[in-house]
Each structure stands twice: as C-alpha cells, then as structure tokens.
Amino acid sequence: MNTEVGAVRVGDVLPPLEIEITRTLIVAGAIASRDYQDVHHDAELARQKGSPDIFMNILTTNGLVGRYITDRFGPRSVLWRVAIRLGAPNYPGDTMVLTGTVEAVEGDTATVRVVGANGIGRHVTGTVTVTVPGADSAGDVEGSERAEDAVVHEAGSRP
C-alpha cells in the first residue's frame, strides 16, 4: 500500500475554507439543484414551518464539500464517493468553515474526513474519496500540513 497521493499523507490536515452563507447562495443553490421547497427561498414560509429563516439544502452543501476537496487536490481530481450527513442548518449571515483530515491513502486515491462548522454547530460531517490520476510525490496537492502541527477547532469555533 502506497502512503502518498501527491504530497498528501495520512494524518495531513487540509487548510480551512470559509464560506459566507448569504441569502443569494442559499437561493441560488436551491434553484440550481431544482429544489423548490419554500424553506430554501421564502423566509416567511420557513418561519411558519418553525425555522428562524431560510436554510441551505443538502445538494448545495454537497457541492461545497466537493469544491473544498477539488480546490485542494486540483483540476485532475475525481470524486468517487461523497458521504455526508447534515447537522446544524446553514442560515443567512453565518459562515461555514470546512476542514478536512486525510484518513487513508492508497495509490493515487485518498479518503478525507470533512467537517463544516457554522456558528451553531456542525453543519456537515462525512468522508470524500478522491483520486488524483498520475499523482506523484512531487507535491500535486497544495497547502496541507501534518496533523500534529495543526490547531484543531471544535464545531462552532473560529480559526
């Protein structure tokens, strides 16, 4: 078993990605994924259903998790498996911070544990399996650091 995908090794921590949660992002993500549920675009109807405001749908979250991984592994990366679970909703005006830790590496394929936290808790948790065809140890992956050198932040905290 190879222990590297490019310059990434088991235990590496990927740099965080901060995403401002705006009404536009929430509504555009819902429309782009053809999710016309009113809780994703109509604040008054969302409140009538018990939510304090509109909130992000899972398909938008899935896309943002995919972006986080492909931004780190580069344009040649292929997402093979994205397994996520939603927790605390993403409401307008908050910031979601995506973080990732490499859990496994085999050949040119890595599994990354991803957490997306906002001001009220963990919005998304899960794993992503990504392949970088032709990756070598020359440093195809930017910005990772060893886990023992990283500061780990709990859900809801800011780096």
Side-chain angles (χ1 to χ4, degrees), residues 40-85:
H40 303 307
H41 64 84
D42 188 318
E44 183 55 37
L45 289 175
R47 280 190 282 280
Q48 288 176 14
K49 292 181 176 181
S51 178
D53 207 334
I54 63 172
F55 55 90
M56 184 175 286
N57 72 354
I58 192 169
L59 296 172
T60 303
T61 299
N62 195 66
L64 293 171
V65 167
R67 170 190 161 197
Y68 176 63
I69 297 298
T70 59
D71 280 358
R72 296 320 184 255
F73 285 84
R76 294 182 298 132
S77 59
V78 177
L79 303 179
W80 289 104
R81 182 172 186 268
V82 176
I84 61 171
R85 179 179 298 257

Side-chain angles (χ1 to χ4, degrees), residues 88-148:
N90 267 340
Y91 293 118
D94 207 344
T95 300
M96 178 174 63
V97 180
L98 288 165
T99 57
T101 303
V102 178
E103 289 191 331
V105 177
E106 186 169 349
D108 60 358
T109 301
T111 300
V112 180
R113 165 115 354 241
V114 176
V115 175
N118 60 32
I120 58 176
R122 289 183 174 188
H123 171 67
V124 62
T125 57
T127 58
V128 178
T129 302
V130 58
T131 296
V132 183
D136 60 26
S137 60
D140 287 348
V141 181
E142 298 178 18
S144 63
E145 60 181 91
R146 298 297 306 150
E148 56 268 19

